Amino acid sequence: MTNEHNPADVPRQAEVENNRLVDANERLTLKALRSQEQAEESERRYLGQHEANTLLLQKQRQLRSLASELILSEQRQRQHLATELHDYLAQLMVLGGLKIARVQSQLRAPDPFLINALGEIEDIFSRSLAYTRTIIAELSPPV
């Protein structure tokens, strides 16, 4: 076998080589475009995820802030209720108990029914006052 080149085959070989290079170039161009599209999609996903993470962190901070505000509001409301119970209801019960004791001391003729009834009323005031103090302590425990 001789390796002689026919000058007439040179343009044909050049055309075949050129076509092969054009095909390879097109394949590389398509591959590069696909890679670029994938990179852009990855970037979009990353940016979307980053935006979602940022929004999530923002919402978490907002939720913590609202929870703190809610706790403070609840504490203020409990303190307000405890103060109202102490300043008004408990004082009325103490006054009621004192009035009963005064009536008991002013009785001229000991009437067993009246003495018993006043004792029961005094007991009701005493238990009510104890319960009110329990509620006050639960609403606003002493520091």
Side-chain angles (χ1 to χ4, degrees):
M1 268 199 186
T2 61
N3 217 358
E4 290 181 36
H5 291 289
N6 183 355
D9 287 342
V10 170
R12 169 101 173 95
Q13 288 174 346
E15 183 181 342
V16 168
E17 184 63 20
N18 185 45
N19 288 342
R20 190 182 67 75
L21 290 173
V22 166
D23 285 346
N25 189 30
E26 286 176 358
R27 282 192 307 276
L28 286 174
T29 301
L30 286 174
K31 190 174 183 180
L33 287 173
R34 279 194 298 270
S35 292
Q36 183 178 357
E37 287 171 356
Q38 289 172 347
E40 288 171 354
E41 179 59 29
S42 291
E43 182 180 17
R44 278 192 296 278
R45 278 196 314 268
Y46 169 78
L47 291 176
Q49 187 62 43
H50 179 71
E51 187 177 303
N53 288 343
T54 300
L55 184 61
L56 178 62
L57 290 173
Q58 221 174 23
K59 294 298 181 183
Q60 286 174 337
R61 281 192 298 273
Q62 186 180 21
L63 183 59
R64 278 193 297 274
S65 175
L66 290 172
S68 293
E69 286 179 38
L70 180 62
I71 289 168
L72 288 174
S73 177
E74 183 181 82
Q75 287 172 344
R76 283 191 298 269
Q77 186 63 30
R78 286 173 162 266
Q79 183 62 45
H80 174 72
L81 287 172
T83 300
E84 286 294 314
L85 286 172
H86 177 270
D87 291 350
Y88 187 73
L89 184 60
Q91 297 303 321
L92 284 176
M93 286 185 214
V94 168
L95 181 61
L98 292 173
K99 295 278 185 181
I100 290 171
R102 184 165 179 237
V103 168
Q104 285 174 327
S105 71
Q106 296 294 321
L107 285 177
R108 300 218 191 273
D111 179 351
F113 174 76
L114 194 53
I115 290 173
N116 187 43
L118 287 173
E120 288 175 2
I121 294 170
E122 186 177 31
D123 184 53
I124 290 170
F125 272 101
S126 242
R127 285 186 288 145
S128 297
L129 183 58
Y131 183 66
T132 301
R133 287 181 177 149
T134 300
I135 292 172
I136 290 170
E138 287 175 3
L139 285 172
S140 181
V143 178

